[in-house]
Amino acid sequence: MKIIVNPLQEAFPELLQRPVMDHAALQNVVQGVLDAVRTGGDKAVASYTKQFDGVTLDNAIVTEAEITEAALALSPVLKEAIQLAAKNIRCFHEAQVNAPVAIETMPGVRCWRKSVGIDKVGLYIPGGSAPLFSTVLMLGIPAVIAGCKEIILCTPPSKDGSVHPAILYAASVVGITRIYKIGGVQAIAAMAYGTETMPQVYKIFGPGNQYVTAAKQLVQQNGVAIDMPAGPSEVCVLADETCNPDFVASDLLSQAEHGPDSQVLLVSTSSKVVDEINEALTAQLGILPRKDIAEQALKNSKAIVVDSMEQAIFIVNSYAAEHLIIACKNDETIGEQITNAGSVFLGNYSPESVGDYASGTNHT
Amino acid sequence: MKIIVNPLQEAFPELLQRPVMDHAALQNVVQGVLDAVRTGGDKAVASYTKQFDGVTLDNAIVTEAEITEAALALSPVLKEAIQLAAKNIRCFHEAQVNAPVAIETMPGVRCWRKSVGIDKVGLYIPGGSAPLFSTVLMLGIPAVIAGCKEIILCTPPSKDGSVHPAILYAASVVGITRIYKIGGVQAIAAMAYGTETMPQVYKIFGPGNQYVTAAKQLVQQNGVAIDMPAGPSEVCVLADETCNPDFVASDLLSQAEHGPDSQVLLVSTSSKVVDEINEALTAQLGILPRKDIAEQALKNSKAIVVDSMEQAIFIVNSYAAEHLIIACKNDETIGEQITNAGSVFLGNYSPESVGDYASGTNHT
């Protein structure tokens, strides 16, 4: 990590800059796949699955037998963990259901807001180096609570034509039964336009690589809604002298290991603590299974040391992290002063990972 | 209006199709303006204002004197109407402020969701054939209630360099003081990237023409958030034999007069009522000040007659109108069955116009 001490405010914009992804360069390639699936349907999808996932599938739809097998293949410990996470997510999200409240703004003028679940939604779960079964829970459980009538899940198949059992098990815990072994741009196209075997959906949710993100942005221009475009994942840790340097190092690594483009930022009021975190990083990195990925991400990462907590909070608000961990004595008071952040984790015992998986809050 | 009786379900997608706007064709032009403002700042903005709005401004910032003059220039009746609308909008939106509710998902795991106003927001109010002072209220009042610290308003100047007094008055009622006489793509660019006199904002809201919409979609790819892209305005009226044909005709015209690309759809269970509405349309059109615009919009409009209310509701849900008026006997019961719509207006005495201006609900 590059350590920066007391930077000038003029330097903040450059210091806190994110890598900008240029989707424009991908647009032609992505638009080609979208158009081909729109006109070619299932046949075009199958051909892209062969080309990009390296597998020929007779049937892209996951069968009931495959879902049953997945439950058998998975360890009881993991199944219990998935069930516990699902229970917490359900509990937290059910509390967000609001009954409409009618306001009489003038005599006889009664107005209310009512949330109605979207009839047909499509969830995209990326493949890649780790099965994102937690994202199945994070996207699926709110859709079920909202009352979406049709929930489609797309995820790329492995080279042997299978889907990771944890993804299938998580889907079955949520109650999703329409699962397609389709990944990438062809999955977004199939959900946006429909095929012979896939119903067209009204809104597409879920993370994905640059191609998937570009595809979502393009289909959005054709009347299909999407969630917010996903960029590389990022964490910011705000740590004072009361933090546990080993914990902070683990927090930074938990995000750095996501991918070489992950963003990791440490902001601290103590040079001593930053040095200790750096030492802990080196020690932990040595035994990390995904060491190579984390090392690359850390190369672009920064630790900023400032004199006051006020300045530290200003920097944190300027950066507007997707995930912010406040490893400080006055974590709740500091939390009140955070205006720009996605998820905020308060105190030494609230790592980002708890929110990524099982606290009940949503990571999407 | 083209009348279609008992269409087959297979015909629905084509029947309910919206005009697709091809922003891709505009992208190069729009990107050019965005880039020029990004590098050229206020000078570039002034040059586009000269080119597109036909006026050379010494100062794009509206002065306090101009705001005071606007209040004097406006009729007391209009000022009172704006104040009443603002009061109702404030009342309805203040009721939407939710205090965070903490949920303990497991012993010691306390989670909550908290809404925080965005620090800096930019509101765009289009120029054109009618001053959209109501949009100033619809965008501005929620921003003030949310606690946004900096609220910027951009609107194009007239050829004489002025802004319509109703827009300035509405802004002052809301409490917005930073108003810029900048329109079109150059306004979106200035707010997205900042200039010497304009602070960069975090999110841009508001309607606009195709160029403005394309600009918003492009700056979104550079880290600035936007609201949902605006398409041409539309209304759908669901009318049974208990509707008031004169009222329905007025409702259809109120939307048709927005612009030649406005969408107007009538769905009814009664051929007789559709004929009566058509007669009323002809009569009212004759005396409409914006007759030419409304006539063009009506040319592309359709009336669909079906046998049952069930079918009518299915069509209405398939279309998913921005505005839906239910001019039927059982308006509240039918309203319960609507799953896809923006604003729903219940009964013969709830025209869309009441929501566009003054009921307290939001039209954006």
Side-chain angles (χ1 to χ4, degrees), chain A:
Chain A
M1 284 180 104
K2 202 180 157 193
I3 301 178
I4 299 116
V5 181
N6 283 326
L8 294 173
Q9 194 169 327
E10 295 85 75
F12 287 179
E14 210 190 309
L15 213 52
L16 303 176
Q17 208 165 31
R18 291 177 167 81
V20 175
M21 293 200 292
D22 185 11
H23 294 145
L26 309 176
Q27 268 191 13
N28 285 342
V29 176
V30 171
Q31 190 65 58
V33 177
L34 291 176
D35 293 343
V37 172
R38 190 173 199 168
T39 52
D42 286 333
K43 219 176 147 185
V45 169
S47 136
Y48 286 119
T49 300
K50 193 179 167 193
Q51 183 182 341
F52 296 127
D53 300 310
V55 55
T56 304
L57 296 176
D58 291 335
N59 179 12
I61 302 174
V62 172
T63 63
E64 263 185 65
E66 284 175 291
I67 295 170
T68 312
E69 274 166 39
L72 294 170
L74 229 55
S75 78
V77 177
L78 183 51
K79 279 193 280 194
E80 276 165 38
I82 290 175
Q83 279 171 17
L84 177 62
K87 183 177 147 286
N88 288 349
I89 296 165
R90 212 172 276 131
C91 164
F92 185 68
H93 288 75
E94 273 170 354
Q96 291 168 17
V97 177
N98 283 328
V101 179
I103 304 289
E104 195 163 10
T105 53
M106 292 179 77
V109 181
R110 259 190 335 126
C111 310
W112 61 96
R113 270 206 315 177
K114 187 178 149 185
S115 301
V116 180
I118 300 167
D119 275 343
K120 303 178 198 176
V121 295
L123 314 182
Y124 184 74
I125 305 295
S129 55
L132 294 184
F133 57 84
S134 58
T135 306
V136 176
L137 305 179
M138 298 293 176
L139 294 175
I141 291 172
V144 169
I145 293 173
C148 300
K149 293 189 197 96
E150 197 144 27
I151 304 173
I152 304 293
L153 193 152
C154 281
T155 193
S158 320
K159 284 212 165 18
D160 66 359
S162 72
V163 169
H164 195 286
I167 286 183
L168 298 183
Y169 183 73
S172 74
V173 166
V174 170
I176 298 173
T177 50
R178 300 196 67 165
I179 306 168
Y180 292 76
K181 297 176 190 173
I182 309 177
V185 178
Q186 59 272 25
I188 303 303
M191 292 192 280
Y193 305 126
T195 71
E196 299 89 324
T197 59
M198 167 93 72
Q200 187 180 25
V201 304
Y202 298 148
K203 186 163 180 174
I204 298 172
F205 298 81
N209 62 18
Q210 301 176 56
Y211 292 90
V212 167
T213 302
K216 282 168 67 185
Q217 290 182 319
L218 285 170
V219 298
Q220 185 184 27
Q221 290 167 24
N222 283 315
V224 181
I226 62 166
D227 54 1
M228 291 216 284
S233 199
E234 60 193 28
V235 71
C236 172
V237 181
L238 172 58
D240 69 8
E241 70 289 351
T242 69
C243 79
N244 181 323
D246 288 332
F247 288 5
V248 173
S250 295
D251 287 334
L252 297 172
L253 287 174
S254 75
Q255 194 65 23
E257 70 167 14
H258 267 72
D261 57 356
S262 289
Q263 287 272 300
V264 165
L265 178 69
L266 173 63
V267 180
S268 182
T269 47
S270 160
S271 275
K272 184 170 161 282
V273 149
V274 170
D275 291 340
E276 288 168 6
I277 292 167
N278 242 336
E279 275 169 45
L281 268 178
T282 311
Q284 292 182 30
L285 200 54
I287 52 168
L288 197 70
R290 293 168 69 95
K291 182 183 170 179
D292 292 347
I293 295 172
E295 245 174 358
Q296 285 181 65
L298 285 177
K299 259 184 213 154
N300 305 314
S301 297
K302 293 169 193 127
I304 302 177
V305 183
V306 288
D307 285 337
S308 72
M309 186 50 76
E310 202 187 341
Q311 279 176 290
I313 293 170
F314 184 83
I315 290 175
V316 164
N317 277 330
S318 303
Y319 182 58
E322 181 191 10
H323 304 102
L324 170 65
I325 300 173
I326 303 180
C328 300
K329 192 169 52 188
N330 300 315
D331 51 283
E332 294 218 22
T333 318
I334 293 167
E336 288 300 318
Q337 296 167 68
I338 300 302
T339 51
N340 301 329
S343 289
V344 181
F345 301 87
L346 299 173
N348 285 326
Y349 299 98
S350 298
E352 183 199 319
S353 307
V354 80
D356 281 347
Y357 288 103
S359 64
T361 55
N362 207 301
H363 77 212
T364 62

Side-chain angles (χ1 to χ4, degrees), chain B residues 14 36 113 121 147-148 194 235 261 316-317 327 333:
Chain B
E14 212 191 307
R113 269 206 315 176
V121 295
C148 299
V235 70
D261 58 356
V316 164
N317 277 329
T333 319

